[in-house]
Amino acid sequence: MLTHHSLTQLKTLRLDGMARALEEQLAQPGAAALSFEERIALIIDREMSFRDSKRLTRLLKQAKLKVGSACLEDVDYRPGRGLEKKLLASLGGGDWIRHHQNCLITGSTGSGKTWLACALGNAACRQGFSVLYVRLPRLFEELRIAHGDGSFTRRLSALAKTDLLLIDDWGLAPPSAAERSDLLEVLDDRVGTRSTIITSQLPVEHWHEYLGEPTLADAILDRILHASHRLKLTGDSMRKARRT
């Protein structure tokens, strides 16, 4: 009766990990041989693991990664891709996010840019960082709508609070004047406080031309290129490689 009451109390307090651990101990005869300190330590460890798992699930859901299964452990390092294990291991450690740096991933269609960006996003979630994946054309559209319904400032604030913003498909079509202005607003909020990943088919040296208006292009690139890590993917299409 006392045990049932304790379990109910743990669940009421939302200590579900502890409740499950206690139930498991009660079902295992050998647990009675453990000391009180050993049993409570196991119960606390289970609660911590449960909370970590729950938080990771929440972060991954909020991240909306295009390739949810991508992870750094599965990176294909075949010769010719231009990937350095040492650099990716360093990026996987997350210090670049803690130091509010950026990561620029370029390469031709099918080279694995989006997959790699999502793998870095996955690693960031596992370390407790908030992440959001968005395609640049869709971000422009969302911000355009936000201007119209009065939610623009609120949307900017939400983006500014995201530890790692993953912008995919940079450079598909030249931005309008309004889109350039919005992009500067988004990136300006992140300088020195948050990190951004950008993927693009365009080499970085062509980004100024892509952005168009020289003054805004200078301002935007100043906020991106400073303190950035660059990954230039080369070689054949990974999609083609998977089909063979």
Side-chain angles (χ1 to χ4, degrees):
M1 184 69 179
L2 180 59
T3 301
H4 177 73
H5 181 64
S6 298
L7 286 171
T8 301
Q9 287 181 314
L10 287 173
K11 293 176 180 178
T12 300
L13 292 170
R14 297 183 179 179
L15 297 173
D16 296 314
M18 296 183 76
R20 293 182 185 182
L22 180 56
E23 287 177 317
E24 291 172 0
Q25 286 190 10
L26 294 172
Q28 298 172 358
L34 300 174
S35 68
F36 172 79
E37 289 79 6
E38 290 171 328
R39 294 185 68 176
I40 198 66
L42 289 172
I43 289 174
I44 293 173
D45 285 346
R46 182 62 180 276
E47 177 65 26
M48 294 297 293
S49 296
F50 179 80
R51 291 191 180 197
D52 288 344
S53 177
K54 190 173 182 180
R55 186 184 187 198
L56 176 58
T57 299
R58 174 176 56 81
L59 288 172
L60 287 172
K61 183 177 181 180
Q62 292 175 344
K64 300 178 182 178
L65 298 175
K66 184 172 184 178
V67 188
S69 61
C71 61
L72 292 178
E73 291 83 354
D74 294 335
V75 171
D76 188 336
Y77 289 101
R78 71 182 62 185
R81 290 202 70 201
L83 291 175
E84 298 179 18
K85 290 185 178 181
K86 185 176 180 180
L87 176 56
L88 281 182
S90 175
L91 293 174
D95 280 345
W96 66 286
I97 302 176
R98 297 180 185 92
H99 296 152
H100 315 306
Q101 298 169 352
N102 301 320
C103 181
L104 315 178
I105 306 176
T106 58
S108 60
T109 300
S111 59
K113 302 181 298 297
T114 299
W115 190 98
L116 186 57
C118 289
L120 289 170
N122 181 295
C125 286
R126 284 190 280 177
Q127 294 177 58
F129 294 110
S130 59
V131 178
L132 178 64
Y133 167 94
V134 64
R135 295 180 60 251
L136 185 57
R138 184 165 296 179
L139 177 61
F140 282 151
E141 178 65 11
E142 290 175 359
L143 294 176
R144 184 189 67 79
I145 294 173
H147 277 294
D149 64 19
S151 64
F152 181 72
T153 301
R154 187 165 63 251
R155 179 60 172 155
L156 278 184
S157 178
L159 291 171
K161 293 176 182 176
T162 303
D163 294 320
L164 178 60
L165 181 62
L166 198 169
I167 303 178
D168 198 10
D169 287 338
W170 172 283
L172 292 185
S176 66
E179 290 170 341
R180 281 193 297 267
S181 179
D182 286 348
L183 184 58
L184 179 59
E185 291 291 333
V186 170
L187 295 173
D188 187 61
D189 285 342
R190 309 185 63 74
V191 175
T193 62
R194 297 291 188 270
S195 295
T196 305
I197 292 178
I198 294 177
T199 75
S200 178
Q201 296 179 34
L202 286 178
V204 173
E205 55 267 27
H206 292 166
W207 287 9
H208 195 280
E209 179 183 358
Y210 152 70
L211 290 167
E213 205 283 318
T215 302
L216 277 179
D218 286 343
I220 290 170
L221 293 181
D222 179 65
R223 287 155 175 77
I224 296 173
L225 303 183
H226 178 67
S228 65
H229 302 270
R230 303 189 188 186
L231 298 173
K232 186 175 181 180
L233 303 186
T234 56
D236 295 332
S237 168
M238 295 300 292
R239 298 190 186 108
K240 184 187 299 184
R242 284 192 289 269
R243 289 196 297 267
T244 60

